[in-house]
Amino acid sequence: MTPTDRYAVMGNPIAHSKSPRIHAMFAQQTGQDMAYEAILVERGRFPEAVAEFHAAGGKGLNVTVPFKEEAWALADTRSARAERAGAVNTLVLNADGSRYGDNTDGVGLVRDLRDNLGLRLAGARILVVGAGGAARGILGALLAERPAWVTVANRTVPRAEHLAAAFADLGSVTACGLDALAGRTFDLVINATAASLSGEVPPLPPEVIRPGTVCYDLAYGARGETPFVAWARAHGAARAVDGLGMLVEQAAESFHLWRGVRPDTRPVIEALRAA
């Protein structure tokens, strides 16, 4: 009897992770013999943790905060989108000891926006708030949908400018500070900051929201809506959505990379929302 294939998600913190439940539902739905666990890794021990999991026969890993940049460095080969993002959230652990790194965050976001929420991204005016790793992970996928433009706004303007310049060859992307958003409106506002995780909202001028604006938080609320979603609703957004759908969609892309089969994400998203 062949042993069950082992997968895991590594991060710190990790207790809150919904990934084990998501992948268990994917495995049941598609008839895959696999186990998936959450592993808390001490800062400074990520390379050792990956090596130990790989040596013990592990087949693949998801990687979350704060180890995505380290995962990028540990990958022997990488997808073009991971190369550009400078971060890896999915590792394929090969039998020959090599590791392949991918970043499924951007495609996960776009699938949730386009396929689940029915948004038309082509020609849209998009605001991305934040210029850290989360923003870097989604910009390429957003620009591939050919929006009118993407504006990256950040408290520290040089960081936004550096990020915009790194993706300028893919489409129209500009940078500014948060205060420079006064008087501007957008079709889609994406919160790519970590503010929601600490119960805060980025200091955005409310006029970025017009009657038809959709607001999307890359974070998801463990209990109820995130502070950004609540702020967006209060200021008249047409829709305000957290990142639970993106979480499931990026997981589905990882699952497909590992198992060669694509799960149906809708019942999984519905089950998580109901819970």
Side-chain angles (χ1 to χ4, degrees), residues 23-82:
H23 284 279
M25 285 191 271
F26 287 165
Q28 184 178 24
Q29 182 195 109
T30 58
Q32 298 292 304
D33 182 22
M34 58 180 279
Y36 187 107
E37 62 185 311
I39 299 175
L40 177 67
V41 177
E42 291 176 31
R43 289 169 189 264
R45 276 210 78 251
F46 181 72
E48 292 84 351
V50 172
E52 287 162 11
F53 187 80
H54 198 173
K59 299 286 182 119
L61 286 168
N62 283 135
V63 182
T64 187
V65 175
F67 301 121
K68 291 184 184 183
E69 286 79 13
E70 282 188 76
W72 187 92
L74 285 178
D76 299 294
T77 54
R78 293 178 284 266
S79 67
R81 60 194 180 191

Side-chain angles (χ1 to χ4, degrees), residues 64 96 126 128 142 152 172 200 207 226 240 242 248 253 256 269 273:
T64 187
D96 65 2
I126 300 175
V128 173
L142 286 172
V152 178
S172 177
E200 297 170 4
E207 61 262 33
T226 68
D242 70 11
V248 175
E253 186 74 3
H256 180 254
I269 294 170
R273 289 262 182 237

Side-chain angles (χ1 to χ4, degrees), residues 59-113:
K59 299 286 182 119
L61 286 168
N62 283 135
V63 182
T64 187
V65 175
F67 301 121
K68 291 184 184 183
E69 286 79 13
E70 282 188 76
W72 187 92
L74 285 178
D76 299 294
T77 54
R78 293 178 284 266
S79 67
R81 60 194 180 191
E83 200 68 57
R84 175 141 345 216
V88 157
N89 76 338
T90 306
L91 284 168
V92 178
L93 306 178
N94 297 309
D96 65 2
S98 67
R99 303 167 187 141
Y100 173 77
D102 198 1
N103 190 314
T104 66
D105 285 334
V107 68
L109 170 65
V110 166
R111 286 205 180 121
D112 194 37
L113 291 170

Side-chain angles (χ1 to χ4, degrees), residues 9-266:
V9 58
M10 290 184 174
N12 187 340
I14 202 66
H16 68 287
S17 177
K18 296 185 190 298
S19 293
R21 184 163 180 223
I22 291 169
H23 284 279
M25 285 191 271
F26 287 165
Q28 184 178 24
Q29 182 195 109
T30 58
Q32 298 292 304
D33 182 22
M34 58 180 279
Y36 187 107
E37 62 185 311
I39 299 175
L40 177 67
V41 177
E42 291 176 31
R43 289 169 189 264
R45 276 210 78 251
F46 181 72
E48 292 84 351
V50 172
E52 287 162 11
F53 187 80
H54 198 173
K59 299 286 182 119
L61 286 168
N62 283 135
V63 182
T64 187
V65 175
F67 301 121
K68 291 184 184 183
E69 286 79 13
E70 282 188 76
W72 187 92
L74 285 178
D76 299 294
T77 54
R78 293 178 284 266
S79 67
R81 60 194 180 191
E83 200 68 57
R84 175 141 345 216
V88 157
N89 76 338
T90 306
L91 284 168
V92 178
L93 306 178
N94 297 309
D96 65 2
S98 67
R99 303 167 187 141
Y100 173 77
D102 198 1
N103 190 314
T104 66
D105 285 334
V107 68
L109 170 65
V110 166
R111 286 205 180 121
D112 194 37
L113 291 170
R114 188 189 61 206
D115 303 342
N116 299 331
L117 301 175
L119 298 188
R120 179 178 165 79
L121 298 175
R125 300 167 299 167
I126 300 175
L127 171 63
V128 173
V129 186
R136 181 174 281 273
I138 63 172
L139 265 184
L142 286 172
L143 288 165
E145 295 297 305
R146 304 186 64 166
W149 71 76
V150 175
T151 297
V152 178
N154 194 55
R155 287 179 202 242
T156 313
V157 180
R159 282 195 77 180
E161 290 172 340
H162 179 75
L163 186 58
F167 286 84
D169 59 314
L170 298 184
S172 177
V173 53
T174 59
C176 68
L178 299 181
D179 52 354
L181 295 170
R184 297 184 62 187
T185 59
F186 297 87
D187 302 309
L188 174 63
V189 178
I190 298 172
N191 178 27
T193 74
S196 284
L197 302 179
S198 55
E200 297 170 4
V201 178
L204 296 174
E207 61 262 33
V208 297
I209 297 175
R210 59 175 186 81
T213 300
V214 174
C215 291
Y216 192 100
D217 198 342
L218 297 191
Y220 59 90
R223 298 175 190 82
E225 60 188 18
T226 68
F228 177 75
V229 167
W231 175 87
R233 278 194 213 287
H235 288 92
R239 294 166 88 180
V241 188
D242 70 11
L244 186 66
M246 171 183 169
L247 176 73
V248 175
E249 293 294 345
Q250 63 82 21
E253 186 74 3
S254 297
F255 189 89
H256 180 254
L257 200 61
W258 295 327
R259 309 301 296 182
V261 59
R262 192 172 292 286
D264 182 4
T265 54
R266 286 192 185 233

